[in-house]
Structure formats: C-alpha cells, structure tokens
Amino acid sequence: MRLTKRLILTTTALAAVTTGTLLSATIGQAAESKPAESKSTRAGVDVPPALKVPDGNRLTSVLAAEGVQTYTCTDGAWKLLEPAATLWAKKDPSHRTVALHSRGPVWVSTVDGSAVNAAAVANSPKPGTIPELLLQATATRGTGIFADVSYIQRLDTRGGVAPTTACSGTDQTSVPYSAVYAFYKPDK
C-alpha cells in the first residue's frame, strides 16, 4: 500500500512536470513581471522574528504548496526521507502547478525549468505541524523564476508531522502537509 501511494505521488509529479513544460514561457514571465508583495506583508502571513530574511533581499514570489512529508523507519524511529509537493501562485484560484518541491530540498519550475536548492538556517516550531523555516539557497539553475533566489521561507505550515507510533524494519509513511513558500532574491 505504501509503495502504491509513492508510485501515485511520483506519477502525479511527473504528469505535472510534463504539463508545466508545455505551458508557454510567457506565463513565467508574467509571474515575474508582477510587482512583488511588499516586505511588510511578508508573503501575506505572519513571519516569526527568527525567520526574518536579511536586509538586501526582496520578495519575488509567493507560492502555496500541498503535498506530503515522507518518513522512513530508522533505528526504530521515524526520520524525514523527503518532501513531495506541488506549488502554485498563492492568488491563483485554479491552483495551476508552477513548481515541484522534492528531496534536496529543491524547487523546480514546471514553467521554465529553473531550480533552487537550499538548506535550513533557522526554524520556528509550531504545535501540531512541521516547523516554519528560513532556508538559504545553496545553488540555482536557469534564468527563470528561481534564478538567483537567495532565501526561501516556509510559512503557514499545516500537517506533515512524523507519526508518534513506533516503527520497525524499513517502514515508510507519507503525511499530508501544506505551506506557503516565499522566495527572495538579492536587491540589485
């Protein structure tokens, strides 16, 4: 059953990538040409002080996400294996996929192929859900929406918490989650 769920998620992600690459590049350009939300709104959600992006960076996109946090049993305890999520423009009621999020962590645009890898540099725990994070980019690829991203905030998290039950062997489980990802680039 768990293998079936992972295969379904993988197939869905691949279908989203295929669909996204067929969309016109002008969609990505239009998303980039919109004025960024002001820093004071911080992606339209409350941002804990620990997750403040350093001065000299500007908000360039805000994407909502839904997916799963997959955990694997390691030495009798649940450990994060990987996230898998689809992202769309926060204000897009159609939820048209514009990016995929997966192990790395990495975010890949389904519109223009650009990508950003990042590592967590700060977190803010929230009861009953995965923590909110501040991530710093470690690498970027391409010239699209994720080109030159410097910081990412994972905000407004819901769900995704590892089970509290014991595990054994090589058990795996996927827990649904949602979040808002705010992407920043250096001021120029």
Side-chain angles (χ1 to χ4, degrees):
M1 181 71 173
R2 289 183 181 108
L3 179 59
T4 303
K5 283 183 183 177
R6 289 199 63 175
L7 289 173
I8 290 169
L9 286 171
T10 301
T11 303
T12 302
L14 289 173
V17 169
T18 303
T19 302
T21 56
L22 296 176
L23 293 173
S24 168
T26 57
I27 293 171
Q29 292 167 346
E32 285 187 58
S33 64
K34 288 182 183 177
E37 293 183 32
S38 71
K39 281 187 166 186
S40 62
T41 66
R42 296 291 192 191
V45 296
D46 291 332
V47 177
L51 305 184
K52 183 182 181 299
V53 172
D55 289 340
N57 294 280
R58 71 186 190 293
L59 181 64
T60 58
S61 61
V62 179
L63 303 176
E66 284 187 3
V68 296
Q69 297 282 320
T70 298
Y71 297 90
T72 187
C73 187
T74 304
D75 299 325
W78 293 108
K79 304 283 184 192
L80 180 64
L81 175 64
E82 63 188 354
T86 57
L87 289 78
W88 62 91
K90 187 174 180 214
K91 295 181 180 180
D92 179 4
S94 71
H95 293 193
R96 181 180 50 232
T97 300
V98 296
L100 298 175
H101 174 44
S102 61
R103 186 186 310 194
V106 64
W107 293 260
V108 178
S109 169
T110 58
V111 176
D112 59 36
S114 63
V116 58
N117 288 64
V121 293
N123 73 67
S124 181
K126 285 179 65 177
T129 186
I130 55 176
E132 295 180 322
L133 298 174
L134 175 63
L135 302 107
Q136 186 171 17
T138 57
T140 61
R141 177 186 78 213
T143 58
I145 191 170
F146 294 135
D148 302 321
V149 165
S150 53
Y151 286 91
I152 303 164
Q153 292 170 319
R154 179 175 77 185
L155 304 168
D156 198 22
T157 56
R158 296 193 174 151
V161 177
T164 56
T165 57
C167 62
S168 62
T170 58
D171 289 348
Q172 288 188 355
T173 189
S174 295
V175 182
Y177 90 103
S178 65
V180 171
Y181 289 93
F183 296 87
Y184 292 79
K185 294 183 182 183
D187 286 334
K188 291 189 179 186

